[in-house]
Amino acid sequence: VNPHQLLFGINQGAIYPDIRIEHAKQIREMDLDGYKREYMVYVPESIRNQENIPTVYVMAGNTQTDRVFFDATSWWQVADDYGFMIVLPCEQFNSAVDLTWNITGYQQGSATATSDDVAFLKKGIAEVDQNYSTDTTRRYVTGQSFGSMWTNFCAVYMSDYFAAFGSTSGPIDFAIDENAGTSKVPVWLFAGYL
């Protein structure tokens, strides 16, 4: 990693050797209510034949695609080092200049974001669990900035899907309603500066 390429701790230069070739094969697409959605899956070579693989869902910050965030944050290296797979759901493209999350019903994201990201994440989880040998008791979610807000939303409203939550730079900024879960779950949030 070139330390001169770091911005807010995120590498701004590509460092994964063959992202265009190897992991373009792992980009999954789905149609959801008339919208084309995608997510990227990365399974380190060292665990590809294992069963009960722990999975970390990585939520990109606003205006970041799964492909950009995969390489810029080096989550692939962490997965290689610690033996887990990662899934990077992609934000919704609303126009050429509008790429964001839409956490339906909670005033999150762009006014033009109309695809239901909660339904997208739930359908993505079901597909990943069906197509890979995942351990559903070791499913985690993390995110940065707006992806962190998404992570914290999941801690409140989707605690039955994930074992723990950890994110940076994005607290909950909406009122929590009666649909919130009641489970106590591990949550780690880093918000500050270096």
Side-chain angles (χ1 to χ4, degrees), residues 23-24 26-32 35-41 57-59 64-70 87-93 99 101 115 117 120-121 124 127-128:
H23 294 287
Q26 299 298 319
I27 293 172
R28 305 287 189 234
E29 292 184 348
M30 70 171 75
D31 288 313
L32 186 66
Y35 294 93
K36 180 75 74 181
R37 302 303 301 269
E38 75 173 43
Y39 59 91
M40 177 185 281
V41 176
Y57 284 75
V58 180
M59 306 304 193
Q64 299 278 319
T65 67
D66 48 348
R67 302 165 203 221
V68 169
F69 211 66
F70 172 82
V87 178
L88 295 96
C90 189
E91 295 172 278
Q92 176 187 346
F93 285 92
L99 173 69
W101 293 114
S115 182
D117 280 329
F120 168 53
L121 181 57
E127 285 186 8
V128 168

Side-chain angles (χ1 to χ4, degrees), residues 112-124:
T112 61
T114 54
S115 182
D116 182 346
D117 280 329
V118 175
F120 168 53
L121 181 57
K122 288 178 179 179
K123 186 174 179 182

Side-chain angles (χ1 to χ4, degrees), residues 168-188:
T168 61
S169 308
I172 292 176
D173 68 345
F174 54 87
I176 297 172
D177 65 19
E178 69 280 353
N179 295 312
T182 56
S183 301
K184 292 183 178 182
V185 294
V187 176
W188 181 86

Side-chain angles (χ1 to χ4, degrees), residues 49-61:
N49 296 321
Q50 291 183 10
E51 293 185 12
N52 299 317
I53 300 171
T55 308
V56 176
Y57 284 75
V58 180
M59 306 304 193

Side-chain angles (χ1 to χ4, degrees), residues 85-106:
M85 65 184 281
I86 56 175
V87 178
L88 295 96
C90 189
E91 295 172 278
Q92 176 187 346
F93 285 92
N94 302 303
S95 71
V97 295
D98 185 15
L99 173 69
T100 193
W101 293 114
N102 177 38
I103 305 169
T104 301
Y106 295 92

Side-chain angles (χ1 to χ4, degrees), residues 136-154:
T136 61
T137 66
R138 294 190 299 162
R139 189 188 299 137
Y140 310 95
V141 64
T142 187
Q144 194 270 327
S145 190
F146 199 3
S148 177
M149 291 180 191
W150 204 168
T151 299
N152 290 305
F153 174 94
C154 290

